Amino acid sequence: MQKNVNRLFLFYWPWLLIGLAVSALLTGLYLPLRHTPFPYRIIAVGKASTEGIAFWYSIAEGMAAAANEFKVTVDYRSPVDESEVDRQIAIVYEAIAEKPDAIILAALDADRLVEPARAARAAGITVVMVDSALADVDKSPQQSFIATNNVLAGQQLGELVLQRVRPGAQILVVSPSTRGDSLIGRETGVRAVIEDAFDVLPTLDTGGQLSDDIYHQVSQALTEHPEIKAVVCLNEYTTAGSARAIRGLSLTGKVTLVGFDSSEELIDYLEEGLLSAVVIQRPFNMGYLSVARTIDLLNGRTIESFYDTGSIVITKDNIYTGENQKLLFPFEN
Amino acid sequence: MRRKSHLRDSIFLTSLFTIIGILAVFFPLSYFLTTDLTQDNARDYSRQLLGQIKNSIEFYTEEMIMISGYLADHPDVRVYLEGENPLAPSSYSLYQQRARISSELKAISGTRQDLVNIILFREDGDFITNREHAGLTPYWDYREFDWYQETVAAKGLPRLSSSRVENVIAGEHRWVVSLSRAIYDQDHLLGVLLIDLNFQTIADICSNLSGQNGAYVFIMGANDELVYHPQQRLIYSSVKSERFDLVRRSEAIESVIRDGIIYSSVKIKSADWVIVSVTDTRQMVQVSPLVIVTYIGIGLVFALIALVVSLLASRRLTEPILALKNSMQQFQQGDFNAQAQITATNEIAELGDQFNSMTQQIKTLVEHERLIEEQKRKSEIQALQSQIRPHFLYNTLESIIWMASSGEQDKVVEMTSSLAKLMRASASKAREMVTVQMEIDTVSHYLRIQKLRYQDKLQYEIEIDPEVLLARMLRLSLQPLVENAIYHGIKPLRDGGLLVIRAYRAGSELLVEVADNGVGFAPDALHASLEASMDEGESIGLHNVHNRIQLMFGKEYGVSVRSAGPGQNVLDQSDFDPAAGIRTIVSIRLPLVFE
């Protein structure tokens, strides 16, 4: 009988062992899986407030859409306007202290935001850039960048000037800042197209402030350089300020204005003819994709280092067509 | 060697794999049934939802159509549209009419917050709105817009636009859905009526009623353009895509299920819009690894239970068989008392009972056989024993006759006395076995008889180790050997010979030797003497003793002969005095037994 018991164990042991091994394996799989339902917490640090600035409003809207779809939380923060680099740096450090899973950042200053981004990475936080990247992309702490290809968008602006202005004319380029990566890219693109064909003045850097100040600076430039035939603006409020300056100096029709981004005010100028054309971005897509790709990264997937969300040329004739309507008139949902 | 396969293992494996097989079928089946059920519920729910949204939207579109119909037939509107230019200062009544229409439009939009603009365009470019201070945009001529031209082409039928930004009012860009209608007098175009519904109203209906479990609703317009989609901008730029091919333009709700996603679509009554609800059931049935792992885990627990159950079942079935097998092996090894102890009450128990009764029968049979065998042996032994008597009697009686006739009275008396004692000793049928002492006594009587016959020609010596005096040996087994030695060994000698009887112990055996210095055996004669049958005369005695011993004690015992053969002087390998000239030794080898 003893012999039989021994043989019994010899025969059934392997089965029991296999059963135990599979159980252990399944438990090993089960435990990590149980943790996935906890939502990721993402803090987005933009360049400017969503209030009154359609571009940032749409970015935040896109982020919210993605947050809703992928069941994560996205908290949008920013300085009031784009002149406050120090404030943005402080916001990033505050965000790091809250230990989110990821920070989505639109750098106001391509160089000065590198340090805060490094600190975030050092704290184990995923860093994805939106709209404006950090300098020195190869060594920078950013893990991906979702934006308009600003050099291409700048080239589109340049083409608009080429189509509308007699060669050799004097051209003024107006930029709110020469530090932001997106603006540097646009200026590079514009200049690459128009530099040879025109007399391009040194870029007017308006210092990041809002329209009123720009109005004065552009008016002054137009007065000082009466030969200017076209003004190329690199963002929304420099375009608005320049438009007001041109109208203020009664130069409508004499100075061609091309700008970047859109607003209710700019659409009025487009319909009126004061503004010849704008190149617009897809801020909603930018916001949406920045969150979607960040989640991909957090989930351990490999993603590209850059995603181009594209840019579109808007003139009076195509304001009310399909996608353009949605881009130019983002409504609240 | 053939690999042994065990019944228990087969039963165990069979039941285990059967149970696992059932689980493997049952779990996917129940999973798919659950999925189907969930999908059916989700589809019913989506159709219900779609019905609600359809009703809500139709409420607004039909209201707009109703208002447009009301205004198109309104007498004041007719007069206004057909009349002269109302800005001409002379026409006072027309100015009053304008004021009446304007307040009518205000009254209508006042009751409905959702109606943003109601504008009556007269064919000549004049217009009336519901809004006091709203002017038309100076940058566009509305008559060049697509919607205007399509409305005119629709010949008085109401036209519902897609979602659009209203751009006829100066300084305003509002998202609306527009209902427009051309007003004709027969074939003559009088004007166009435009009613703008705040698009937010439609969007709110769609977004409020959807949103659960990843379900959403979108609306497609007449030209397959998107009127509303929660992710419209992502679709425009191809970041997201939608399965427009699954949309059905039908007045009844139609559902298409593709890859776990339910597309239910319905066309609204009054316009060429299709409302589509999209429900992703994949999230409801949770094809998550968690669920799969849980299912496998439960399956594994059941499989373990199956393992234990099949283990117990196989043991319960095979234990009685094993018990039966063990009993059979015992039986095979010769234990006729082997009985299968089986506690079960099934066929195996029956088998055990039958085995038990079979062993009983075999045991009885074997017992019977052995009794018969023993009986036969005994009768054989007796037969062999009785062969001795006449043979010896004749010889002795002849001697007595010879001595009597020659008047040797004393010798006759002595010989007859010894014969009588010998006869008494051998006639007793009481015991088969006697002590060595008794057998020696018997042989002594015999030797005395022979000594009387052969006188000096026969010398004999008896050397018995006292240790074996009480050992047992076969009755009348020594006498034939002595007789054999006298007749075949000593008698042929001219000058007589010596006979020596010895009995001693050799280990666990008793050796009784009869040695003589007679003529000896030829090897052939020796062989013949042991193997000869009973009828073959003189060496019968030796043969009988040998057979009797073997019958009684087994093949390893019996009679053996060592002889130097004729013409040879020395017998090797014996401890007899070489001077005695012993040439033949006949030994009885027996187990040493003291009763």
Side-chain angles (χ1 to χ4, degrees), chain B residues 176-241:
Chain B
V176 295
V177 166
S178 308
L179 185 107
S180 47
R181 184 173 199 157
I183 302 168
Y184 278 85
D185 179 22
Q186 262 95 46
D187 284 341
H188 176 58
L189 177 67
L190 297 176
V192 169
L193 180 67
L194 178 70
I195 302 172
D196 285 342
L197 174 71
N198 187 351
F199 177 61
Q200 197 63 46
T201 310
I202 304 289
D204 283 349
I205 292 169
C206 295
S207 64
N208 288 349
L209 282 176
S210 55
Q212 294 157 357
N213 297 323
Y216 60 87
V217 170
F218 69 89
I219 303 173
M220 272 171 75
N223 303 314
D224 286 354
E225 80 283 5
L226 282 175
V227 176
Y228 169 84
H229 193 292
Q231 296 188 318
Q232 202 155 351
R233 275 171 280 190
L234 297 173
I235 289 167
Y236 275 138
S237 53
S238 302
V239 173
K240 292 249 165 168
S241 60

Side-chain angles (χ1 to χ4, degrees), chain B residues 424-555:
Chain B
R424 186 174 295 119
S426 61
S428 158
K429 287 193 177 180
R431 306 181 84 176
E432 180 80 359
M433 303 283 283
V434 295
T435 59
V436 170
Q437 174 74 69
M438 286 161 77
E439 188 64 10
I440 294 292
D441 287 348
T442 310
V443 141
S444 299
H445 297 308
Y446 175 78
L447 278 171
R448 263 200 294 283
I449 293 165
Q450 297 293 34
K451 176 74 180 172
L452 285 171
R453 282 177 64 194
Y454 294 103
Q455 302 294 332
D456 295 337
K457 220 177 162 184
L458 172 67
Q459 300 293 321
Y460 67 89
E461 291 168 15
I462 297 175
E463 301 167 10
I464 307 298
D465 185 346
E467 194 189 350
V468 300
L469 274 176
L470 292 174
R472 301 277 161 169
M473 62 186 295
L474 277 177
R475 195 160 59 97
L476 290 181
S477 58
L478 191 52
Q479 186 270 335
L481 269 58
V482 172
E483 185 181 318
N484 192 70
I486 292 169
Y487 284 101
H488 297 291
I490 294 167
K491 198 177 157 192
L493 292 176
R494 188 167 299 174
D495 301 323
L498 173 68
L499 180 94
V500 182
I501 299 171
R502 300 206 308 195
Y504 58 93
R505 174 186 173 167
S508 62
E509 291 176 343
L510 168 67
L511 276 173
V512 182
E513 293 175 339
V514 177
D516 67 73
N517 58 353
V519 293
F521 278 84
D524 286 351
L526 169 77
H527 187 254
S529 72
L530 284 174
E531 297 297 318
S533 70
M534 280 189 254
D535 313 317
E536 275 182 42
E538 290 166 332
S539 59
I540 282 170
L542 217 59
H543 174 79
N544 279 353
V545 172
H546 181 67
N547 279 353
R548 280 170 65 205
I549 290 170
Q550 287 206 333
L551 275 171
M552 184 65 86
F553 298 109
K555 292 287 179 193

Side-chain angles (χ1 to χ4, degrees), chain A residues 7-8 12 16 23 26 61 69 264 271-272 282 284-285 288 316 320 325-326 329 331-332, chain B residues 8 12-13 139-140 164-165 167 173 175 200 231-234 237 239-240 296 300 307 311:
Chain A
R7 229 181 45 71
L8 202 76
Y12 297 108
L16 287 173
S23 309
L26 289 174
E61 209 186 0
E69 182 179 338
E264 281 269 332
E271 291 188 310
E272 187 187 330
R282 291 192 177 101
F284 183 92
N285 286 16
Y288 178 89
K316 185 185 177 183
Y320 297 100
Q325 276 192 115
K326 284 282 175 196
F329 307 99
F331 65 88
E332 286 175 57
Chain B
R8 185 188 50 218
F12 167 71
L13 288 177
Y139 310 129
W140 302 98
R164 56 186 281 272
V165 173
N167 57 348
H173 296 96
W175 278 96
Q200 197 63 46
Q231 296 188 318
Q232 202 155 351
R233 275 171 280 190
L234 297 173
S237 53
V239 173
K240 292 249 165 168
I296 294 174
L300 201 79
L307 185 103
L311 195 88

Side-chain angles (χ1 to χ4, degrees), chain B residues 26-44:
Chain B
F26 173 75
F27 275 111
L29 201 68
S30 66
Y31 174 76
F32 285 122
L33 283 176
T34 316
T35 309
D36 273 4
L37 200 67
T38 314
Q39 217 164 52
D40 285 353
N41 287 341
R43 191 185 54 201
D44 291 348

Side-chain angles (χ1 to χ4, degrees), chain A residues 112-186:
Chain A
R112 292 185 59 201
L113 266 299
V114 170
E115 240 358 273
R118 283 225 170 90
R121 287 297 300 282
I125 299 166
T126 296
V127 175
V128 169
M129 306 302 291
V130 68
D131 180 61
S132 298
L134 296 171
D136 193 9
V137 172
D138 291 338
K139 286 180 200 158
S140 85
Q142 74 188 33
Q143 285 162 281
S144 185
F145 177 38
I146 291 96
T148 309
N149 185 330
N150 282 299
V151 176
L152 287 181
Q155 286 171 0
Q156 280 175 308
L157 267 181
E159 297 290 340
L160 288 171
V161 177
L162 272 183
Q163 288 158 11
R164 285 166 171 75
V165 185
R166 181 174 48 79
Q170 204 168 54
I171 311 280
L172 177 66
V173 177
V174 184
S175 173
S177 160
T178 49
R179 289 165 303 176
D181 163 77
S182 56
L183 296 167
I184 296 167
R186 281 171 216 165

